[in-house]
């Protein structure tokens, strides 16, 4: 640690104003502030500051993603070999999953952080921590068979058009991770949807069916999995979305630390549950009859609720707005599932659509506050 | 008595080094100074020159914008120096004090028998109008205004704040006389907020509307209390004043002397024996710090650690402050300091530290930023420490882009920088909220007035 500090101390002057590599200062300080919380002291405003910073916030979310990531890696192996009917040990399954999944993580981070650093250098601002989370989320919501170049291009689109074009972290309108998925979905539909992408190598191996539960339901088929399978996550799907249990562990961590909004999580679940319940009452086809509480357990609903809808930048920002925003995501996600046979999972579209509407929701909530203030002033004048 | 006010949103920060309840007289220093920089937005017009002799209560300078706002000398002596900064801006007016003060004689008066106008000119002559701060804008009042109410917060909930009831011991009659004068200045009521947890001299004050306030910091902020008692609407003016200044005014009426004596607290983890001192406004602080500071790398703050002004050791006591804080500087690197659940010596609102387990522990905090400034990302965290019916983040953003119409609508008239101090503290993006709001208020003064 002292050695590292000495090392950084030696090179810091070169990257500061007037130094040899001043231009690359943002990139250097990106690494420097990763290693050390800087010695910056308060200059104006409060003289003391809370220990929390954006880096800590982002790392908390990454920690919350670790259970789903580990389980997802194992499940990649499990789905592949169990469908082939081959018995394998835990480490073999995990190892297979890791070999398939880790390259996606590497590609996502290298491409995404590369763009972030490049923008920081060109624009001369600090490297923002936002991509630490997005970089892991993106591979977690992709099918395991997605070719790496497609992943890389999706990341480029999400970061450049989705985020940097708007001014970087904190300024974007759409959730970057979901934008990457949406981009891949519409550009490479064959690799992103259908029955043959959700289990590793299902396209090239006979006897492996990559069909998801929602896919089966949309085609009016029976669900071949038990509720326990859904809860623990022994089902095919995007890497991170399958295990309800692991997502709940992540959610508990986010709620305990107070980083994610419990209001959004709760209202999304309420919205989804009510909508699915109403369809149960209607019940004219297989997917409408799918029990409402199981709707919440399959597909990307819960993963989206916990990790995507709660993204503070793209969600509604007011307390009342958060309730409305979450509720509508839940409603829309189930609506899309039920009415759009070609696209059985509605969570991505629901969240992206509500991302667009979040500022409008906030606008009306704030208008309410403004009107209250105006009314108060008028009362005085007329009194 | 009116309804109790309970503040649930907020954060009480407990720091090590709270002043012990003991008052010492600080030996008289040779130099005192009044700093025009303490008075935001005032352009001073000097009435004295270097070499002039002044008595305590003699005019030093007045406001160019309003001649009724006069600034008088806290001690008697000789003007020794007028220091100027960039663009010849006056930084301070220094007075070499006599060994004993002689006072300018004002008439002894009973304010309850005076008219509003005579009280105003009396206060103006003695230099007492700078004690009154107006909302909106958080600047010195315009004496010709008639405020809709006057608000006094009798306590501060800021870290290590001075106990005003303790500081005013023995001054009760002066305080009451001061209140009697204030009553004549407003068309409405004089509101006095008291700490709900305590029963002290302020509960016995007559002729005011007493409000008991409970809860977390910023419960003691007058802005929060105004928002709960009688919020400010566009076009309205209210005045605020601090308790010790009310006593100074009361003493002026009773004795005919402008006695700028204050009991201030010296506090902070870098102080050997934190305690109270009896001093005069503008005292040179060097003597206060003598043999009292444990380390060399410390920060001296005129005021509390959330809203105070950073000063050098040889500076002077600010006009408004009743607290001088000294805390360690934080210019150090912390290896992997951002890892959750590490660095538990810091106090945090978030549960990524363990400080929520020990709410009564007194912390030693330094001036490290504990991170770098970033774009606003997290939402909802500002609202947690902002107990007014205002959207703080939206107001800050409107202020950042100088959208005057929106600032008005979102409630800029009700806030002062100090109300945003906790946002400075808790922000994970290290937003400089107080500075933003100050600039916004200055813009409003310029554009709306």
């Amino acid at each position: 640690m002292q050695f590292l500090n000495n090392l950084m101390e030696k090179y810091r002057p070169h990257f500061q104003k007037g130094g040899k590599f001043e231009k690359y200062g943002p990139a250097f300080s990106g690494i420097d502030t990763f290693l050390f919380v800087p010695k910056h002291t308060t200059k104006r405003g409060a003289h003391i500051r809370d220990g929390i910073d954006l880096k800590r916030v982002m790392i908390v979310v990454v920690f919350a993603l670790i259970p789903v990531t580990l389980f997802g890696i194992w499940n990649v192996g499990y789905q592949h070999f169990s469908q082939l009917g081959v018995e394998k040990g835990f480490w073999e399954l995990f190892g297979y999953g890791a070999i398939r999944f880790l390259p996606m993580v590497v590609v996502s981070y290298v491409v995404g952080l590369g763009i972030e650093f490049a923008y920081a250098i060109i624009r001369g601002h600090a490297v923002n921590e936002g991509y630490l989370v997005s970089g892991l989320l993106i591979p977690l919501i992709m099918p395991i068979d997605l070719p790496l170049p497609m992943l890389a291009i999706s990341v480029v689109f999400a970061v450049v058009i989705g985020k940097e074009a708007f001014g970087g972290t904190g300024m974007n309108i759409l959730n970057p991770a979901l934008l990457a998925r949406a981009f891949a979905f519409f550009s490479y539909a064959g690799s992103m949807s259908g029955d043959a992408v959700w289990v590793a190598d299902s396209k090239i191996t006979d006897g492996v069916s990559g069909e998801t539960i929602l896919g089966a339901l949309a085609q009016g088929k029976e669900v071949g999995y038990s509720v326990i399978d859904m809860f623990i996550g022994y089902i095919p799907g995007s890497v991170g979305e399958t295990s309800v249990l692991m997502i709940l562990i992540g959610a508990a961590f986010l709620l305990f630390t107070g980083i994610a909004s419990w209001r959004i999580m709760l209202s999304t679940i309420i919205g989804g549950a009510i909508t699915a319940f109403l369809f149960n009452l209607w019940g004219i086809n297989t997917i409408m009859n799918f029990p409402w509480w199981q709707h919440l357990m399959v597909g990307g609903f819960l993963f989206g609720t916990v990790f995507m809808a709660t993204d503070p930048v793209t969600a509604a920002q007011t307390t009342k707005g958060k309730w409305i925003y979450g509720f509508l995501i839940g409603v829309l996600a189930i609506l899309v599932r039920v009415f759009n046979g070609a696209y059985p999972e509605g969570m991505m579209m629901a969240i992206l659509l509500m991302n667009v509407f979040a500022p409008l929701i906030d606008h009306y909530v704030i208008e309410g506050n403004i009107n209250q203030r105006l009314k108060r002033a008028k009362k005085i004048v007329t009194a | 008595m009116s309804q109790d006010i309970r503040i649930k949103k907020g954060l009480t920060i407990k720091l090590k080094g709270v002043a012990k309840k003991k008052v010492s007289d600080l030996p008289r220093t040779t130099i005192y100074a009044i700093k025009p920089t303490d008075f935001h937005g005032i352009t001073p017009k000097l009435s004295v020159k270097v070499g002039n002799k002044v008595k305590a209560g003699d005019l030093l300078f007045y406001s160019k914008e309003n001649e009724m706002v006069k600034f008088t000398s806290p001690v008697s002596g000789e003007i020794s120096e007028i220091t100027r900064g960039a663009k010849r801006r006056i930084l301070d007016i220094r007075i070499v004090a006599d060994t004993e003060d002689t006072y300018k004689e004002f008439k002894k008066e009973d304010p309850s028998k005076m008219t509003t106008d005579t009280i105003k000119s009396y206060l103006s002559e003695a230099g007492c109008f700078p004690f009154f701060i107006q909302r909106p804008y958080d600047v010195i009042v315009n004496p010709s205004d008639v405020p809709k109410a006057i608000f006094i917060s009798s306590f501060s909930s800021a870290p290590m704040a001075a106990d005003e009831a303790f500081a005013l011991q023995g001054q009760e009659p002066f305080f009451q006389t001061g209140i009697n004068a204030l009553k004549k200045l407003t068309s409405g009521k004089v509101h006095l907020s008291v700490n709900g947890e305590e029963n002290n001299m302020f509960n016995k004050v007559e002729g005011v509307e007493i409000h008991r306030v409970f809860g977390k910091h910023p419960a003691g902020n007058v802005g929060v209390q105004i928002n709960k008692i009688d919020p400010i609407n566009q076009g309205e003016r209210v005045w605020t004043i601090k308790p010790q200044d009310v006593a100074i005014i009361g003493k002026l009426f009773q004795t005919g002397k402008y006695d700028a004596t204050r009991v201030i607290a010296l506090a902070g983890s870098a102080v050997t024996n934190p305690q109270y001192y009896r001093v005069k406004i503008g005292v040179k602080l060097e003597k206060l710090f003598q043999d009292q500071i444990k380390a060399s790398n410390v920060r001296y703050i005129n005021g509390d650690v959330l809203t105070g002004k950073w000063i050098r050791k040889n500076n002077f006591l600010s006009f408004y402050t009743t607290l001088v804080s000294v805390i360690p500087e934080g210019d150090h690197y912390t290896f992997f300091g951002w890892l959750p659940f590490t660095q538990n010596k810091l106090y945090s609102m978030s549960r990524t530290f363990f400080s929520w387990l020990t709410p009564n522990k007194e912390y030693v905090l330094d001036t490290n930023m504990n991170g770098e400034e970033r774009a606003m990302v997290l939402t909802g965290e500002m609202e947690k420490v902002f107990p007014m019916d205002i959207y703080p983040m939206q107001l800050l953003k409107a202020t950042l882009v100088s959208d005057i119409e929106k600032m008005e609508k979102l409630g800029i008239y009700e806030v002062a920088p100090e109300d945003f101090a906790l946002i400075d503290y808790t922000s994970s993006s290290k937003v400089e909220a107080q500075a933003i709001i100050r600039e916004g208020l200055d813009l409003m003064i310029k554009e709306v007035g």
Side-chain angles (χ1 to χ4, degrees):
Chain A
M1 179 185 137
Q2 192 53 46
F3 154 77
L4 259 178
N5 197 4
N6 293 343
L7 188 80
M8 297 307 274
E9 200 67 76
K10 197 171 140 197
Y11 288 105
R12 263 171 208 139
H14 296 305
F15 290 93
Q16 278 156 3
K17 224 175 172 178
K20 246 188 293 181
F21 306 110
E22 182 191 334
K23 223 171 92 190
Y24 301 98
F28 179 83
S29 88
I31 297 162
D32 193 15
T33 62
F34 175 77
L35 291 171
F36 297 96
V37 170
K39 63 174 184 178
H40 301 169
T41 52
T42 51
K43 293 281 179 278
R44 44 183 206 169
H47 297 271
I48 54 170
R49 299 298 167 98
D50 196 309
I52 195 153
D53 67 342
L54 214 50
K55 222 167 254 139
R56 194 177 268 245
V57 170
M58 294 299 173
I59 291 298
V60 165
V61 185
V62 172
F63 278 15
L65 282 167
I66 287 175
V68 291
T69 307
L70 293 180
F71 182 88
I73 290 174
W74 175 84
N75 194 42
V76 167
Y78 172 76
Q79 291 300 327
H80 178 76
F81 288 110
S82 69
Q83 296 225 2
L84 286 174
V86 184
E87 284 279 327
K88 293 268 186 184
F90 172 82
W91 287 111
E92 280 170 291
L93 297 179
F94 192 83
Y96 177 81
I99 290 170
R100 298 301 306 266
F101 182 66
L102 290 184
M104 296 174 77
V105 176
V106 172
V107 166
S108 165
Y109 272 121
V110 168
V111 174
L113 285 179
I115 297 171
E116 293 263 350
F117 271 78
Y119 264 91
I121 290 168
I122 293 167
R123 289 190 182 159
H125 65 60
V127 180
N128 239 306
E129 289 82 4
Y131 198 76
L132 288 178
V133 174
S134 309
L136 185 54
L137 277 174
I138 290 173
L140 282 175
I141 55 174
M142 296 290 190
I144 191 71
D145 263 358
L146 185 73
L148 293 178
M150 293 186 190
L151 177 70
I153 292 169
S154 308
V155 168
V156 171
F157 179 82
V159 176
V160 174
I161 305 293
K163 205 159 94 173
E164 296 300 340
F166 289 97
T169 303
M171 318 288 177
N172 47 309
I173 292 170
L174 298 167
N175 184 314
L178 277 178
L179 196 63
R181 192 179 195 279
F183 178 83
F185 180 80
F186 290 113
S187 310
Y188 313 111
S191 302
M192 284 295 293
S193 58
D195 296 342
V197 297
W198 303 104
V199 174
D201 288 346
S202 50
K203 246 183 200 165
I204 49 170
T205 318
D206 282 344
V208 174
S209 155
E211 195 173 51
T212 60
I213 293 174
L214 286 171
L217 284 170
Q219 294 166 36
K221 291 192 226 161
E222 284 294 306
V223 177
Y225 298 92
S226 71
V227 172
I228 288 295
D229 287 342
M230 298 177 200
F231 183 73
I232 306 290
Y234 305 134
I235 53 174
S238 300
V239 180
E241 72 176 15
T242 62
S243 173
V244 172
L245 178 66
M246 294 300 157
I247 295 171
L248 288 180
I249 292 173
F253 186 63
L254 286 179
L255 293 178
F256 169 78
T257 51
I259 297 298
S261 162
W262 62 270
R263 293 183 182 93
I264 293 178
M265 287 194 205
L266 184 63
S267 60
T268 308
I269 286 172
I270 292 173
I274 290 178
T275 316
F277 180 74
L278 291 176
F279 279 122
N280 282 175
L281 296 180
W282 191 357
I284 51 165
N285 61 24
T286 330
I287 194 151
M288 280 194 192
N289 272 320
F290 189 56
W292 62 271
W293 51 277
Q294 289 182 23
H295 253 301
L296 308 181
M297 293 171 69
V298 300
F301 189 88
L302 201 60
F303 188 85
T305 303
V306 172
F307 295 109
M308 302 282 186
T310 52
D311 169 12
V313 175
T314 54
Q317 300 179 343
T318 55
T319 306
K320 255 187 228 162
K322 282 175 183 166
W323 284 107
I324 301 167
Y325 164 86
F327 185 81
L328 289 178
I329 287 178
V331 171
L332 281 173
I334 304 295
L335 272 181
V336 175
R337 275 186 188 179
V338 171
F339 287 118
N340 190 348
Y343 180 49
E345 178 49 299
M347 203 55 184
M348 174 179 90
M349 283 307 174
I351 297 176
L352 283 175
L353 188 67
M354 289 317 294
N355 280 173
V356 173
F357 280 105
L360 189 70
I361 297 172
D362 280 336
H363 174 78
Y364 281 106
V365 172
I366 291 164
E367 270 314 288
N369 176 273
I370 289 171
N371 287 335
Q372 229 177 336
R373 191 166 293 113
L374 288 177
K375 226 188 262 169
R376 192 181 75 200
K378 260 192 204 139
K379 224 198 275 169
I380 306 274
V381 172
T382 50
Chain B
M1 190 172 288
S2 66
Q3 228 178 351
D4 292 349
I5 297 164
R6 285 172 199 280
I7 303 297
K8 292 198 190 84
K9 293 175 176 178
L11 186 73
T12 303
I13 303 165
K14 293 200 167 136
L15 296 186
K16 211 171 164 178
V18 177
K20 281 191 207 79
K21 296 273 171 73
K22 176 189 152 199
V23 187
S24 305
D25 284 303
L26 190 70
R28 196 171 168 86
T29 61
T30 42
I31 298 182
Y32 287 74
I34 292 291
K35 300 181 279 184
T37 47
D38 284 347
F39 313 108
H40 189 85
I42 294 283
T43 318
K45 280 293 221 187
L46 285 172
S47 309
V48 287
K49 283 192 202 119
V50 174
N52 283 165
K53 294 259 185 209
V54 290
K55 289 181 189 163
D58 270 342
L59 183 64
L60 293 179
F61 61 94
Y62 59 91
S63 161
K64 188 182 163 191
E65 290 79 13
N66 193 327
E67 287 184 24
M68 285 276 277
V69 180
K70 292 177 178 159
F71 301 82
T72 51
S73 176
V75 291
S76 66
E78 187 184 320
I79 310 288
S80 67
E81 197 183 347
I82 294 165
T83 37
R84 289 176 187 267
K87 293 187 188 164
R88 292 195 40 83
R89 198 166 77 118
I90 300 170
L91 297 181
D92 54 42
I93 294 146
R94 299 186 185 188
I95 305 150
V96 175
D98 303 334
T99 42
E100 197 129 336
D101 280 327
T102 50
Y103 290 89
K104 180 176 174 183
E105 293 292 327
F106 295 94
K107 257 179 28 196
K108 290 180 195 169
E109 296 267 16
D110 178 2
S112 40
K113 288 181 188 134
M114 294 164 78
T115 64
T116 304
D117 286 339
T118 49
I119 288 185
K120 276 187 177 173
S121 54
Y122 187 84
L123 288 177
S124 166
E125 270 322 294
C128 287
F129 268 113
F131 290 134
F132 294 90
I133 296 294
Q134 129 191 333
R135 298 274 177 124
Y137 307 144
D138 198 35
V139 291
I140 294 176
V141 299
N142 178 354
S144 51
D145 282 343
V146 179
K148 78 160 179 173
I150 296 177
F151 289 86
I152 308 159
S153 172
S154 75
F155 70 106
S156 167
S157 46
M160 308 188 290
D163 181 342
E164 301 292 348
F166 173 73
L168 280 174
Q169 260 176 356
Q171 311 274 310
E172 291 87 348
F174 296 138
F175 188 82
Q176 183 63 55
T177 310
I179 292 286
N180 296 344
L182 298 193
K183 270 162 54 187
K184 294 277 176 116
L185 296 177
T186 167
S187 57
K189 289 173 183 162
V190 177
H191 298 275
L192 178 66
S193 318
V194 300
N195 187 346
E197 312 288 347
E198 289 173 17
N199 191 0
N200 52 37
M201 59 165 278
F202 296 114
N203 294 67
K204 298 176 197 95
V205 175
E206 286 165 15
V208 291
E209 183 108 342
I210 291 180
H211 304 269
R212 296 202 305 162
V213 186
F214 296 83
K216 300 173 184 172
H217 183 57
N221 277 16
V222 72
V224 172
Q225 296 161 1
I226 298 171
N227 183 266
K228 301 291 170 199
I229 296 166
D230 185 6
I232 306 161
N233 297 300
Q234 190 177 345
E236 290 177 342
R237 298 268 186 277
V238 305
W239 290 3
T240 69
I241 183 167
K242 296 202 165 153
Q244 291 207 36
D245 303 342
V246 177
I248 291 177
I249 290 175
K251 199 169 187 181
L252 171 72
F253 279 101
Q254 280 194 15
T255 63
K257 286 175 187 164
Y258 173 67
D259 180 0
T261 303
R262 278 233 164 112
V263 173
I264 62 158
L266 174 64
S269 56
V271 180
T272 321
N273 289 309
Q275 63 156 92
Y276 288 79
Y277 290 93
R278 188 171 289 113
V279 297
K280 286 219 165 186
I281 291 173
V283 65
K284 190 161 191 178
L285 290 169
E286 219 164 11
K287 220 167 217 166
L288 188 72
F289 300 135
Q290 223 165 41
D291 306 324
Q292 274 279 37
I293 307 303
K294 285 178 202 166
S296 56
N297 192 16
V298 295
R299 181 173 297 191
Y300 302 93
I301 301 160
N302 238 330
D304 69 68
V305 290
L306 290 177
T307 62
K309 233 184 218 167
W310 183 2
I311 51 163
R312 284 180 197 287
K313 194 177 170 179
N314 55 9
N315 207 301
F316 304 89
L317 183 70
S318 280
F319 190 76
Y320 295 102
T321 188
T322 57
L323 168 68
V324 176
S325 317
V326 189
I327 55 172
E329 280 287 359
D331 48 345
H332 52 74
Y333 290 94
T334 317
F335 186 61
F336 279 144
W338 43 266
L339 267 182
F341 309 115
T342 64
Q343 302 302 315
N344 286 300
K345 61 181 197 290
L346 299 174
Y347 182 73
S348 175
M349 184 174 69
S350 92
R351 288 202 173 178
T352 62
F353 293 81
F354 289 122
S355 56
W356 59 278
L357 290 169
T358 51
N360 288 319
K361 191 182 151 188
E362 290 185 337
Y363 284 79
V364 176
L365 298 184
D366 60 32
T367 62
N368 194 284
M369 288 286 284
N370 298 317
E372 286 181 298
E373 195 168 350
R374 290 285 186 266
M376 295 182 212
V377 168
L378 280 196
T379 58
E381 65 177 6
M382 292 185 184
E383 286 81 354
K384 277 188 199 160
V385 293
F386 199 80
M388 296 192 209
D389 178 27
I390 285 171
Y391 284 100
M393 184 162 163
Q394 281 71 22
L395 179 55
L396 279 173
K397 285 186 174 175
T399 310
L400 276 173
V401 296
S402 304
D403 184 342
I404 290 177
E405 199 184 333
K406 199 141 198 208
M407 285 154 72
E408 264 182 356
K409 285 180 172 173
L410 289 170
I412 188 85
Y413 294 122
E414 298 181 49
V415 299
E418 61 169 18
D419 299 322
F420 284 77
L422 273 175
I423 292 178
D424 271 5
Y425 181 75
T426 55
S427 168
S428 57
S429 299
K430 310 292 171 189
V431 177
E432 304 280 11
Q434 291 190 87
I436 295 169
I437 290 297
R438 182 68 265 173
E439 279 164 29
L441 290 173
D442 290 344
L443 179 76
M444 296 301 290
I445 296 172
K446 214 171 108 198
E447 301 288 331
V448 184

